[in-house]
């Protein structure tokens, strides 16, 4: 009785649309179109086909007697029928009353970056994304609508297929790692960022920083389809800096010595740094040390996915291997990933399934930015020092002929190349991220879903520092460190979903249920010294175990949640949600928090009075208000605790913390007003949102009288707010055979701390959190240039005059200048614009992304832009314009060896960090079906792509997208970490500029 | 479901379960020692601050840290982080001792007196250091009315308005110190490993009496240490400092091991570390020819603290001879031995010839050399009404009773506790 049909789906331009889902209505029987838009399917007589694809209006097609069908899908720029993933369900874009940005998985496919967040940078309004540097696998800062906490976590909650996952730093060092990098971006179907309270409050006490919902791809019934991808390429730094050459260096150092009457000292030092000879006098050696910090950085990736099933069983299976070398010597990130997503229709009412991801990542890490062994710090070495010491024939610094040990006074500092040669730091993660679910449909429209998810992250960090690294590392006999972390988390969600339309106009949807989560982190580590030789690198071989530890922490969360939405004729939209979160972290007097939200929307274009016009195709104002929380602080901080403290080998204990039974979540109340619009048949469409987020009861470490035996206690005291505006616009500039679409988004956010109980929390070099200012403002002395008479560095006094203004007189006494607010690390606005073009089989996508109005402080300035006044570090070439003679007008003071002339922290090293970047370009060609059929392929696309191709900025350092890793990572036990210590550069690696060539074939 | 939220910590333990048994309370006592050994207390700052404030040109501080520099200039700012750290860490140790003392009823009867004695010894030593650093000297004005430091004698179990304590008088603090030390001396046995002993309590008491000018009692207390015959001078001056473990002359020392403890005297004084203190000719000129103590330097750096994992000597037998000698000389007594004999005992160990007669000046000079850089200087300067100088050029003379030789109550502390009156000369 069944009937085989075939067909082709085209766009308005007549070109086939690949990947369109073709479903037999009312069944799970379906397939998707191939590269040329064609499909074949066996259906029941009288069947209706439902054709849907993101970006097109879903269309129903009655098959009737036909055996072939041709369908033209209408492009739908704002994708009103698109299903948007929200908490515990999906909603259609048209009915949504919250602020949600959804990014299609296509946007992150095949991006040559370790973690998907990097691939949506600049694509989502209200979501600020920043990589700390060009190191691979490091933490990435993501801020949804500003920074909502001072001492608590400020990263969003990540939820994959309904299960909140481990996303926090797992590193033993102060430089954060990124567990999100364990995901295979090619497995992602969609990414939803829940921004306002209406969308996010259903995640309660973890929603104040926004929620990122990721869904992975699921199988579609029909023929089994294989998709194979391969790409390869390589990376280079986005920028290099200019340094003094040997001649310029020698001249500067001599000048610096002469100016303080220590020329003889300088000559002897120059001789030392010239490997003990006089080559420096003729500049016979001119080493470009910066070049040595970088390496050829190839990238390759193989991936395969298999997708198919029948009306009972559907599957998606994928595997990926990627191998990416970093631009810095010794840096590498390797990923092996596999996923199985399975759906089984057990009965008409019961569906079972699982989503199962396995990953191994291996990250060859390099030292923190502030370590001498950080390859970038190599730039401090003198250009007169040869790469290979002629006295030993080995790397400079590797051997002191006199002692037989590594040289500890040549070159100027420890040579980071020795770490590449003689040390390793490998972090290996095994990640098991899975969940099973069962869904039972009691009656049409009412179903119960139960999910059980486990996220298990096993991480080993193995470090060995061999003998030649002793100058950096201390022990002469080798130094080993090994640490294991087992971070396990399980979650269960159980909820009822109800959806029904009454009288054809009243659509009611309701979700309600409970969730329980428990996380437990166990870590142990061992440190050892004295190995027989560097051939032995495991601690079992060490003679001396110098430290060891095991530790454990855990928390639990018990929640009840619900959401109801009501829509009248798709015109009037109403939604309300709540969550009750009970957390083991809260004090016993505040065990449960309540987080409600409500929103309204009005689709004006559904009203009769707007039906008689062709200009406006869609208009929906919406408003929302709600409350979310943040519980991103340390476990047990509400408890009365004793801690062990041994004394000389005798165990001891002491009271460590007093109880605060009232401690609770940080509370954010957010108001949002949005307008979604479409003009001229949605040729122009977009949305604009304004919001205000007021956060109260910040969990701060509040000072207590030291006479109590304690100095502080965590209490809910401070307040802050974020206000902002987001705007997103998509225009379809050309349609037809040649299509051109532009997507533009921009976001403005203003952060202000309104109350810190009078406290000032300092961090970074000059950052602070202080009332009345945005978080992390730079507070310091204001540099006023150079006194033309004597070359002294000058600072503005900035003392307060009688009339309240500040004195603009200058002083050469640093301490006499008052500290003032000199900058702000928070961008005023960010934006991105993507242009996509398609013609026949050719597609081109170009993304520019920009960050504006933020300042960056270069903490390395006092060493490498120090006009030779802070030792023998090589200097950037801008120091050539230093003051030399009375009357010289310049901003670089006179060189004075160890004279500290202008090298103190000040606005001298603060720069505008604004930039515009050609973030990504992708040019592809889809081979014509006619050609492919001959080789029995369904689809084939070849492409070239590039990331970070061009950067436009006034920032004089390596790269304006920077956040010195050892300062930037969030540490819940250190109130001045990450959130406050931001916008700093300290020998941080530039971002990677990556080019790849790839091919995807389907068969 | 609610019990699912009752997750118990395991790295740390609930405070309610911490002090249940005799062993628990004794572990807290060890915790009090550890807190006392903090580098900001007896692990270095207490002694270091004393030396820097008292300096009159014997050394130059060449380091980059501003906190010690302010201290040597006798121009300490109220937000000096060393000053607040010493305050906070001292009170942290005091609170632990108070926890021990409040839970003595749980300690087994055989251990109870010792545990009480040790806790009181630590508390008294800490209060004695605090009152000398943050209050005016005993002999400066009226100790009955001069503000000392707040006396907190009960453990803090919850924060409350009562935490905003006022300063007790100098005399009240001294009285508590003497009570605690006397109890400690009575309660602790002569032998107690490297923990406080009967002699340690007596030795500390000798210092307290000396500071108060109660010379007969000082001599008597010092004599009790010497007469215990449990201690003997190391064969040479260097051998009193070079061993990492306690020597035969250590009456009480902070224990530093590779695993535990931080020796901040090593950090600042030793050329193997920061080498921030460069000793000047003025200091070397104080030594007589042949004084072995003058040789215990590496160029301009004292070698007293060269062991990174070396114990920090708080009470040495040599000091007891010096206190007994001074006490006897000033009172005309001969408790234990004559002042001349005691001084010659110390001199002989330094490789110097015996004196034939002894004056107060001889004893004070011997004290200065024997105890150099060990933290006694400020308090000797004050009780003997000497003077310090700043490293300015020319140096500014700072008289013994200058407010600049008294540390400020930390700004941070006054911000959270307005009941604390600031010392003169600070705001």
């Amino acid at each position: 009785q069944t009937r085989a049909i075939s067909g082709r789906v085209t766009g308005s331009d007549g070109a086939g649309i690949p990947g369109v889902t073709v479903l037999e209505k009312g069944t799970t029987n379906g397939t998707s179109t191939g590269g040329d838009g064609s499909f074949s399917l066996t259906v029941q007589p009288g069947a209706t086909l439902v054709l849907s694809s993101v970006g097109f209006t879903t269309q129903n097609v009655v098959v009737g007697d036909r055996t072939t069908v041709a369908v033209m899908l209408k492009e739908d720029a704002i994708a009103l029928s698109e299903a948007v993933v929200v908490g515990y369900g999906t909603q259609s874009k048209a009915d949504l009353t919250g602020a949600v940005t959804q990014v299609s998985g296509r946007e992150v496919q095949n991006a040559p970056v370790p973690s998907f967040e990097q691939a949506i940078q600049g694509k989502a309004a209200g979501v600020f994304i920043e990589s700390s540097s060009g190191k691979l696998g490091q933490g990435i800062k993501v801020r949804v609508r500003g920074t909502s906490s001072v001492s608590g976590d400020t990263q969003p909650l990540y939820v994959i297929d309904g299960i909140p996952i481990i996303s926090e730093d797992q590193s033993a060092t102060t430089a954060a790692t990124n567990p999100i990098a364990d995901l295979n971006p090619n497995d992602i179907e969609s990414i939803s960022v829940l921004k306002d309270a209406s969308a996010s409050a259903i995640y309660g006490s973890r929603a104040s920083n926004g929620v990122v919902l990721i869904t992975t791809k699921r199988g579609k019934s029909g023929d089994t389809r294989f998709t194979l991808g391969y790409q390869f390429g390589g990376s280079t730094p986005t920028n290099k800096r200019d340094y003094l050459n040997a001649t310029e260096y020698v001249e500067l150092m001599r000048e610096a010595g002469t100016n303080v009457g220590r020329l003889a000292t300088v000559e002897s030092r120059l001789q030392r740094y010239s490997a003990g000879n006089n080559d420096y006098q003729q500049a016979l050696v001119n080493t470009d040390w910066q070049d040595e910090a970088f390496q050829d950085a190839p990238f390759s990736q193989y991936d395969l996915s298999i997708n198919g099933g029948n009306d009972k069983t559907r599957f998606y299976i994928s595997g990926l291997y990627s191998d990416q070398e970093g631009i810095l010597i010794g840096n590498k990130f390797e990923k092996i990933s596999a996923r199985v997503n399975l759906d089984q229709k057990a009965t008409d009412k019961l569906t079972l399934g699982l989503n199962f991801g396995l990953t191994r990542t291996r990250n060859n890490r390099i030292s923190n930015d502030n370590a001498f062994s950080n390859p970038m710090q190599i730039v401090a070495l003198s250009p007169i020092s040869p790469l290979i010491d002629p006295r030993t024939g080995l790397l400079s610094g590797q051997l002191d002929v006199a002692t037989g040990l590594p040289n500890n006074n040549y070159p100027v500092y420890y040579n980071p190349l020795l770490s590449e040669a003689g040390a390793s730091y490998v972090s290996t993660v095994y990640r098991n991220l899975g969940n099973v679910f069962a869904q039972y449909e009691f009656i049409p429209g009412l179903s119960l879903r139960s999910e059980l998810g486990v996220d298990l992250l096993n991480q080993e960090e193995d470090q060995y520092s061999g003998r030649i690294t002793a100058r950096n590392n201390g022990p002469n006999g080798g130094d080993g460190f090994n640490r294991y972390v087992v971070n396990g988390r399980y979650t269960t969600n159980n909820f009822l979903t109800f959806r029904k339309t009454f009288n054809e106009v009243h659509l009611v949807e309701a979700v309600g249920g409970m969730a329980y989560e428990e996380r437990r982190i166990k870590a142990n580590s061992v440190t050892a010294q004295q190995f027989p030789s560097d051939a032995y690198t495991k601690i079992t071989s060490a003679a001396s175990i110098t430290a060891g530890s095991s530790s454990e922490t855990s928390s639990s969360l018990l929640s009840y949640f619900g959401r109801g939405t009501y829509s009248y004729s798709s015109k009037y939209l109403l939604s309300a949600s709540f969550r009750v979160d009970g957390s083991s972290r809260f004090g016993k007097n505040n065990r449960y928090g309540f987080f409600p939200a409500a929103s309204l929307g009005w689709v004006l274009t559904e009203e009769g009075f707007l039906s008689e016009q062709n200009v406006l195709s869609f208009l929906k104002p919406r408003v929302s208000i709600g409350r979310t929380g943040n519980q991103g602080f340390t476990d047990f901080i509400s408890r009365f605790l004793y801690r062990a403290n041994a004394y000389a080998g005798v165990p001891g204990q002491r009271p460590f913390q007093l109880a605060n039974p009232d401690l609770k979540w940080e509370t954010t109340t957010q108001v949002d007003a949005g307008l979604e619009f479409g003009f001229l048949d949605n040729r122009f469409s977009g949305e604009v949102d304004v919001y205000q987020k007021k956060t109260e009861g910040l969990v701060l470490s509040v000072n207590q009288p030291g006479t109590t035996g304690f100095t502080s206690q965590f209490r809910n005291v401070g307040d802050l707010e974020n206000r902002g505006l987001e705007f997103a616009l998509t225009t379809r500039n050309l349609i037809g055979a040649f299509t051109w679409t532009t997507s533009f988004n921009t976001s403005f956010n203003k952060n202000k701390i309104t109350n810190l109980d009078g406290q000032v929390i300092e961090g970074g070099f000059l950052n602070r959190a202080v009332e009345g200012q945005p978080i992390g403002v730079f507070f310091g002395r204001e540099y006023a240039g150079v006194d033309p008479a004597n070359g002294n560095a000058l600072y503005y006094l900035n003392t307060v005059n009688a009339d309240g203004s500040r004195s603009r007189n200058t002083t050469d006494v640093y301490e006499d200048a008052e500290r003032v607010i000199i900058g702000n690390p928070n961008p005023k606005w960010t934006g991105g614009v993507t242009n996509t073009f398609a013609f026949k089989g050719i597609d081109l996508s170009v993304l520019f992304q920009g960050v504006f109005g933020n300042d960056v402080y270069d903490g390395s300035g006092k060493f490498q832009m120090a006009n030779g006044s802070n030792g023998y570090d090589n200097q950037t070439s801008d120091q050539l314009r230093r003051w030399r003679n009375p009357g010289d007008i310049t901003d670089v003071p006179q060189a004075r060896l160890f004279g500290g002339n202008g090298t103190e922290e000040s606005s001298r090293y603060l720069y505008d960090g604004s930039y515009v970047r050609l973030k990504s370009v992708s040019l592809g060609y889809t081979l014509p079906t006619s050609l492919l059929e001959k080789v029995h392929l369904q689809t084939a696309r070849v492409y070239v792509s590039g990331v970070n191709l061009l950067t436009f900025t006034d920032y004089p350092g390596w790269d304006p997208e920077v956040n010195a890793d050892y300062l930037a990572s969030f540490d819940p036990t250190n109130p001045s970490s990450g959130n406050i210590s931001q916008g700093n550069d300290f020998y941080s690696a530039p971002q990677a500029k990556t080019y790849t060539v790839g091919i995807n074939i389907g068969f | 479901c609610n019990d699912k939220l009752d997750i118990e910590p395991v790295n740390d333990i609930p405070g309610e379960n911490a002090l249940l048994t005799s062993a628990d309370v004794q572990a807290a006592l060890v915790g009090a020692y550890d807190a006392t050994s903090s580098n900001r207390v007896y692990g270095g700052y207490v002694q270091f601050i004393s030396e820097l404030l008292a300096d009159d040109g014997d050394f130059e501080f060449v380091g980059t840290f501003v906190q010690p520099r302010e201290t040597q200039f006798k121009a300490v700012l109220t937000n000096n982080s060393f000053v607040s750290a010493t305050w906070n860490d001292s009170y942290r140790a005091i609170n632990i001792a108070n926890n021990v003392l409040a839970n003595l009823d749980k300690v087994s009867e055989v251990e109870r007196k010792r545990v009480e004695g040790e806790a009181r010894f630590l508390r008294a030593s800490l209060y004695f250091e605090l009152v000398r650093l943050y209050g005016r000297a005993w002999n400066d004005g009226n100790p009955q009315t001069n503000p000392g430091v707040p006396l907190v004698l009960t453990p803090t179990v919850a924060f409350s308005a009562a935490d905003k304590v006022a300063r007790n008088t100098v005399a009240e603090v001294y009285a508590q110190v003497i009570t605690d030390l006397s109890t400690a001396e009575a309660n602790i046995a002569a032998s107690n490993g490297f923990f406080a002993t009967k002699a340690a309590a007596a030795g500390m008491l000798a210092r307290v009496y000396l500071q108060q000018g109660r010379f007969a009692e000082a001599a008597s207390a010092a004599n009790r240490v010497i007469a215990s015959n449990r201690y003997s001078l190391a064969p040479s001056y260097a051998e009193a400092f070079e061993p990492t473990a306690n020597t035969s002359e250590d009456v009480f020392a902070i224990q530093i091991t590779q695993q535990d403890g931080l020796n901040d005297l090593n950090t600042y004084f030793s050329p193997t570390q920061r080498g921030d203190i460069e000793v000047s000719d003025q200091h070397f000129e104080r030594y007589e020819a042949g004084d072995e103590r003058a040789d215990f330097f590496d160029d301009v750096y004292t070698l007293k603290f060269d062991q990174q994992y070396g114990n920090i000597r708080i009470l040495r037998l040599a000091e007891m001879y010096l206190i007994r000698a001074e006490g006897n000389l000033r009172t005309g007594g001969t408790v234990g031995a004559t002042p001349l004999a005691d001084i010659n005992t110390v001199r002989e160990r330094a490789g110097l010839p015996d004196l034939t007669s002894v004056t107060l000046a001889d004893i004070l000079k011997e004290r200065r050399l024997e105890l150099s850089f060990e933290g006694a200087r400020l308090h000797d300067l004050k009780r003997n009404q000497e003077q310090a100088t700043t490293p300015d050029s020319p140096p500014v003379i700072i008289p013994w009773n200058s407010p600049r030789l008294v540390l400020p109550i930390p700004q941070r502390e006054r911000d959270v506790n307005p009941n604390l009156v600031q010392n003169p000369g600070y705001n």
Side-chain angles (χ1 to χ4, degrees), chain A residues 173-227:
Chain A
T173 73
T174 51
T177 56
N178 181 16
I180 301 293
D182 298 337
L183 288 180
N184 171 2
N186 290 357
D187 286 340
I188 295 177
E189 173 75 22
S190 76
I191 301 154
S192 272
V193 185
L194 313 183
K195 300 190 291 191
D196 73 345
S198 164
S200 66
I202 201 162
Y203 286 101
S205 64
R206 294 175 297 175
S208 286
N209 301 316
V211 181
V212 178
L213 303 179
I214 296 160
T215 48
T216 57
K217 291 175 179 167
R218 312 210 66 77
K220 297 187 179 90
S221 51
D223 295 339
T224 301
R225 286 172 302 281
F226 295 79
T227 306

Side-chain angles (χ1 to χ4, degrees), chain A residues 583-592 630-631 633-639 657-666 697-702 713-717:
Chain A
S583 169
S584 64
R585 284 184 179 164
F586 303 156
K588 66 173 191 287
N589 298 345
N590 279 310
R591 260 291 145 86
Y592 289 91
N630 183 11
Q631 58 150 314
F633 42 77
T634 312
D635 294 329
F636 310 117
I637 60 171
S638 71
R639 301 288 299 271
Q657 174 180 284
L658 293 184
N660 178 4
D662 295 327
L663 190 86
K664 59 178 189 177
W665 54 94
E666 299 178 346
L698 294 173
V699 175
L700 288 183
S701 177
V702 177
Q713 182 177 47
F714 281 100
R715 293 186 178 174
N716 296 94
V717 294

Side-chain angles (χ1 to χ4, degrees), chain A residues 476-781:
Chain A
N476 286 323
D479 185 24
F481 171 76
N482 187 281
R483 173 173 178 262
Y484 253 96
V485 177
V486 178
N487 189 336
R489 171 194 294 240
Y490 71 86
T491 305
T492 176
N493 297 323
N494 303 283
F495 56 96
L496 280 164
T497 305
F498 176 71
R499 181 188 160 98
K500 195 168 170 67
T501 307
F502 298 95
N503 295 338
E504 300 193 341
V505 291
H506 306 282
L507 172 63
V508 175
E509 283 183 289
V511 174
M514 65 78 66
Y516 176 72
E517 275 184 60
E518 199 172 302
R519 69 181 250 290
R520 191 171 299 267
I521 301 170
K522 299 186 184 199
N524 51 57
S525 68
V526 189
T527 309
Q529 296 171 355
Q530 304 303 329
F531 293 73
S533 80
D534 287 340
Y536 298 88
T537 58
K538 292 291 166 188
I539 286 173
T540 185
S541 311
S544 173
I545 306 290
T546 52
S549 159
S550 76
S551 63
E552 179 179 333
T553 189
S554 52
S555 65
S556 62
L557 188 69
L558 175 63
S559 312
Y560 306 92
F561 54 85
R563 178 179 57 229
T565 61
Y566 169 75
S567 139
Y568 176 78
S569 287
S570 301
K571 252 190 273 189
Y572 309 113
L573 314 169
L574 175 67
S575 176
S577 74
F578 78 94
R579 187 178 181 109
V580 172
D581 266 346
S583 169
S584 64
R585 284 184 179 164
F586 303 156
K588 66 173 191 287
N589 298 345
N590 279 310
R591 260 291 145 86
Y592 289 91
F594 179 60
F595 305 94
S599 55
L600 289 170
W602 181 18
V603 185
L604 281 158
T605 37
E606 294 287 324
E607 296 284 1
F609 58 80
L610 283 178
S611 60
E612 296 298 316
Q613 49 86 37
N614 293 324
V615 178
L616 204 55
S617 37
F618 186 73
L619 192 65
K620 178 175 77 178
R622 52 175 166 74
V623 290
S624 76
I625 182 166
R627 178 169 286 179
T628 54
N630 183 11
Q631 58 150 314
F633 42 77
T634 312
D635 294 329
F636 310 117
I637 60 171
S638 71
R639 301 288 299 271
F640 173 32
L641 296 177
Y642 259 64
R643 174 167 287 186
N645 62 331
Y647 177 68
V650 184
Q653 62 169 353
R654 68 179 173 94
F656 168 68
Q657 174 180 284
L658 293 184
N660 178 4
D662 295 327
L663 190 86
K664 59 178 189 177
W665 54 94
E666 299 178 346
T667 307
T668 297
T669 305
Q670 184 174 190
V671 182
D672 179 286
L675 181 69
E676 295 169 24
F677 56 85
F679 293 100
L680 301 175
D681 207 14
N682 287 329
R683 285 283 289 270
F684 299 87
S685 63
E687 57 191 301
V688 54
D689 275 88
V690 290
Y691 61 87
Q692 180 181 50
K693 286 172 87 173
K694 284 196 170 212
T695 305
E696 299 169 308
L698 294 173
V699 175
L700 288 183
S701 177
V702 177
N703 283 340
Q704 300 297 325
T707 46
T708 59
F710 304 88
T711 53
S712 63
Q713 182 177 47
F714 281 100
R715 293 186 178 174
N716 296 94
V717 294
D719 307 321
L720 62 76
E721 65 173 35
N722 286 283
R723 285 180 295 151
L725 172 74
E726 292 160 9
F727 180 68
L729 178 71
T730 299
T731 62
R732 290 181 299 136
N733 309 319
L734 288 176
I735 53 178
F738 182 76
T739 65
W740 171 28
T741 305
T742 304
S743 291
F744 169 77
N745 75 81
T746 181
S747 324
F748 300 79
N749 186 74
K750 200 165 182 179
N751 175 282
K752 185 172 159 187
I753 295 172
T754 46
N755 170 20
L756 276 184
D757 204 28
Q759 302 194 106
V760 172
I761 309 174
E762 301 191 314
F765 300 98
L766 294 173
N767 298 115
R768 54 169 47 190
V770 60
E771 285 161 13
Q773 295 292 334
I775 188 167
V777 286
F778 295 108
F779 184 77
R781 279 134 181 132

Side-chain angles (χ1 to χ4, degrees), chain A residues 35 144 192 225 356 442 463 684 692 791 797 853 856 860 893 920 953 990:
Chain A
V144 177
S192 272
R225 286 172 302 281
F356 202 60
F442 297 102
Q463 259 179 305
F684 299 87
Q692 180 181 50
L797 273 177
V856 174
S860 70
S920 67
T953 182

Side-chain angles (χ1 to χ4, degrees), chain A residues 13 87 133 236 290 421 449 552 572 773 818 849 916 971 997:
Chain A
D13 56 354
S133 76
T236 57
Q290 180 179 217
R449 186 176 171 95
E552 179 179 333
Y572 309 113
Q773 295 292 334
E818 290 263 315
Q849 164 251 344
V916 171
D971 171 3
V997 176

Side-chain angles (χ1 to χ4, degrees), chain A residues 490 514 516 518-520 544-548 550-558 560 582-585 591-592 636 639-656 658-659 702-713 715, chain B residues 1-2 4-16 18-19 24-35 37 87-88 91-92 95-96 99 150 152 156-159 163-165 194-195 252-255 257-260 412-413 416-417 420:
Chain A
Y490 71 86
M514 65 78 66
Y516 176 72
E518 199 172 302
R519 69 181 250 290
R520 191 171 299 267
S544 173
I545 306 290
T546 52
S550 76
S551 63
E552 179 179 333
T553 189
S554 52
S555 65
S556 62
L557 188 69
L558 175 63
Y560 306 92
S583 169
S584 64
R585 284 184 179 164
R591 260 291 145 86
Y592 289 91
F636 310 117
R639 301 288 299 271
F640 173 32
L641 296 177
Y642 259 64
R643 174 167 287 186
N645 62 331
Y647 177 68
V650 184
Q653 62 169 353
R654 68 179 173 94
F656 168 68
L658 293 184
V702 177
N703 283 340
Q704 300 297 325
T707 46
T708 59
F710 304 88
T711 53
S712 63
Q713 182 177 47
R715 293 186 178 174
Chain B
C1 252
N2 258 341
K4 284 290 195 184
L5 300 180
D6 295 331
I7 290 193
E8 291 300 301
V10 289
N11 290 346
D12 302 316
I13 64 164
E16 298 81 5
L19 296 177
D24 289 344
V25 181
Q26 293 185 59
L29 176 63
V30 176
Y33 277 99
D34 188 57
S37 79
W87 175 279
N88 289 338
Y91 275 105
R92 183 175 71 167
N95 184 51
I96 305 171
N99 270 282
V152 180
T156 310
V157 291
F159 293 113
D163 297 336
K164 294 182 177 166
V165 291
F194 51 64
F195 296 108
F252 183 68
I254 293 298
Q255 308 295 304
T257 67
Q258 287 203 26
Q259 302 281 329
D260 188 41
R412 180 207 164 282
E413 195 65 8
V416 288
N417 178 2
L420 291 177

Side-chain angles (χ1 to χ4, degrees), chain B residues 156-403:
Chain B
T156 310
V157 291
F159 293 113
S160 74
D163 297 336
K164 294 182 177 166
V165 291
R167 296 172 70 176
N168 289 76
T169 66
V170 169
E172 285 167 343
V173 178
Y174 269 84
Q176 183 65 44
V177 166
I178 290 170
T179 301
D180 278 350
L181 287 175
S182 302
T183 308
E185 188 181 355
N187 280 11
I188 316 175
S191 168
N192 193 21
F194 51 64
F195 296 108
T197 57
K198 185 181 284 296
M204 194 59 76
L205 207 45
R207 268 192 192 169
V208 177
Y209 288 136
L210 188 72
Q211 202 68 39
Q212 288 182 303
R214 295 160 74 172
F215 297 111
E217 288 153 296
S220 166
N223 182 57
R224 294 198 293 277
V225 179
I226 300 165
S228 75
N229 281 326
R230 304 188 68 87
Y231 307 95
S232 58
L233 291 183
S236 70
Y237 194 64
E239 284 168 272
F241 295 95
E242 279 171 349
T244 55
N246 282 9
T247 69
S248 63
E249 82 174 79
D250 284 326
V251 179
F252 183 68
I254 293 298
Q255 308 295 304
I256 304 286
T257 67
Q258 287 203 26
Q259 302 281 329
D260 188 41
L262 178 59
N263 183 341
D264 252 356
L265 294 176
N266 173 262
T267 307
Y268 293 101
F269 282 96
S270 172
T272 64
Q273 302 286 325
R274 297 187 62 87
D276 282 346
I277 304 286
E278 296 186 353
V279 177
S280 62
D281 289 346
Q282 174 180 307
H283 179 77
F284 291 112
E285 283 159 11
R286 296 184 191 277
Y287 294 94
E288 295 168 38
D291 192 333
E292 289 175 7
R293 293 172 301 201
D295 298 331
F296 198 46
F297 288 87
D298 172 4
D299 189 19
V300 293
Y301 303 103
T302 176
L303 290 173
K304 279 191 171 181
F305 313 111
D306 244 25
Q307 299 289 350
Q308 186 183 353
Y309 303 114
N311 289 346
I312 298 174
R313 292 159 171 102
I314 302 298
L315 286 165
R316 290 193 291 121
L317 182 64
E319 183 185 356
M320 296 300 116
Y321 285 114
L322 291 163
I323 292 175
R324 189 169 73 176
E326 184 178 346
N328 278 332
L329 186 107
R330 289 194 191 247
T331 57
T334 55
V335 177
T338 64
L340 182 64
D342 278 343
I343 284 304
N344 283 336
T345 302
V346 174
R347 284 176 61 88
E348 281 165 26
R349 203 268 298 266
L352 290 171
D354 282 358
L355 297 179
T356 52
S357 65
V358 65
T359 64
L360 180 61
D362 291 333
I363 294 171
L364 295 181
K365 177 188 158 195
E366 214 56 58
R367 259 187 88 83
R368 178 152 195 182
L369 298 178
E370 177 68 26
L371 304 177
S372 60
F373 312 118
E374 291 179 68
R377 182 63 202 138
L378 178 68
H379 314 301
D380 283 347
L381 177 157
K382 287 184 177 179
R383 68 184 179 85
N384 294 315
Q385 308 194 357
E386 298 169 65
Q387 65 189 31
T389 61
T390 66
D392 293 295
S393 152
V396 178
I397 290 171
I398 309 293
W400 69 276
N401 56 358
S402 165

